[in-house]
Amino acid sequence: MAEAAPGPQVVRWVKARVGPGRFRHIQGVARTAARLARRSGLSVPKALWAAWLHDSAKEMDRTLLLRWVGKSRGRMDPGEEGIPALWHPHAGVGLAREIWGIRDREILEAIRCHTLGSPGMAPVAQVIFVADFIEPGRHFPGVDRARAAAHRGLAGAVTLKCRMTIGHLMGNGRVVHPRLLETYNFFIGSGT
C-alpha cells in the first residue's frame, strides 16, 4: 500500500472525521511532508500516508480513542496514559492498520511519533514530526526560524522543534513528557 500515494478516498475519509480547521492543518502537513521528503530523497508516498493519517484520530472522544489505541499493537507508556492529548498518535496507528491495512513500519512509526518524537526515529518519522510543526497554517513566534531549519536538514529541525516545544510547555507550567526530552537529547547529541 505504501508504494502508491494515498488517493482521494483517503482524503474524503479523513475529511469526514475531523473539523475544517484540523482538515486544513492535515492538508498543510501533507504538502509540507511531501516537499521535505522529496528534498531529503525519501519516499513521498510514505510521507503522504503518514501525513494524511497522523491526526485522523485527534477529534475522537476518549472511549473511541482508547478502542483504536488497543488496535495499534503498541503500548502507551505511563506518561502518555495520563495525558489524553497524547493518545491520538497511537489511535492513528490503529486506524492505519485496521482501516487502511498499513503494515509499513516507517509509516506507522511516523504516525506514532509525530507528537513526541523518538530517539533514533527514522527519516520519514522526522519528516512528519517537523511538517506537523511548520506547515503553512502554523503561526507562532519562531515558526519562520523552524521552517528555515527544516530547509537546512531534518535532524536540526527536529532538535529545534523539541527545544521550542519544551520551552513552550515549561513556560506555561505544563508537563514535559520524558520522550520529548529524550528525542531532543538524541538529536542534539548526534552532531547535526
Side-chain angles (χ1 to χ4, degrees):
M1 179 157 269
E3 298 83 31
Q9 73 279 17
V10 176
V11 175
R12 285 192 301 271
W13 181 85
V14 171
K15 189 174 188 176
R17 279 153 184 80
V18 298
R22 177 77 44 207
F23 185 73
R24 281 190 300 277
H25 164 69
I26 293 169
Q27 284 179 309
V29 172
R31 284 193 304 273
T32 304
R35 191 171 57 249
L36 290 174
R38 212 173 281 113
R39 180 178 290 129
S40 301
L42 302 171
S43 169
V44 173
K46 287 183 183 189
L48 285 170
W49 273 105
W52 277 107
L53 298 177
H54 85 283
D55 268 356
S56 60
K58 181 86 173 183
E59 297 180 5
M60 287 181 176
D61 67 55
R62 287 183 182 192
T63 303
L64 198 52
L65 265 174
L66 286 173
R67 177 178 158 227
W68 285 106
V69 166
K71 294 183 181 289
S72 72
R73 297 197 182 169
R75 293 183 45 84
M76 290 191 291
D77 64 44
E80 289 172 305
E81 289 174 359
I83 306 172
L86 298 178
W87 297 354
H88 76 278
H90 297 278
V93 168
L95 289 165
R97 291 181 63 79
E98 298 297 319
I99 302 295
W100 297 105
I102 293 176
R103 299 294 184 265
D104 186 287
R105 289 180 185 202
E106 289 179 285
I107 296 170
L108 298 175
E109 176 192 37
I111 296 167
R112 183 180 55 79
C113 294
H114 81 268
T115 302
L116 296 174
S118 182
M121 65 182 161
V124 172
Q126 294 175 45
V127 162
I128 302 305
F129 186 72
V130 171
D132 187 40
F133 195 60
I134 66 165
E135 61 93 358
R138 297 289 198 195
H139 305 286
F140 56 85
V143 72
D144 290 333
R145 190 166 47 119
R147 289 178 180 135
H151 291 291
R152 290 189 299 273
L154 288 173
V158 167
T159 301
L160 183 58
K161 175 186 175 175
C162 291
R163 188 168 61 230
M164 291 175 74
T165 303
I166 291 165
H168 173 77
L169 292 169
M170 291 177 74
N172 288 292
R174 295 178 58 200
V175 171
V176 177
H177 190 282
R179 193 162 60 248
L180 185 60
L181 290 167
E182 291 165 4
T183 301
Y184 172 77
N185 288 337
F186 179 89
F187 282 93
I188 196 76
S190 69
T192 54

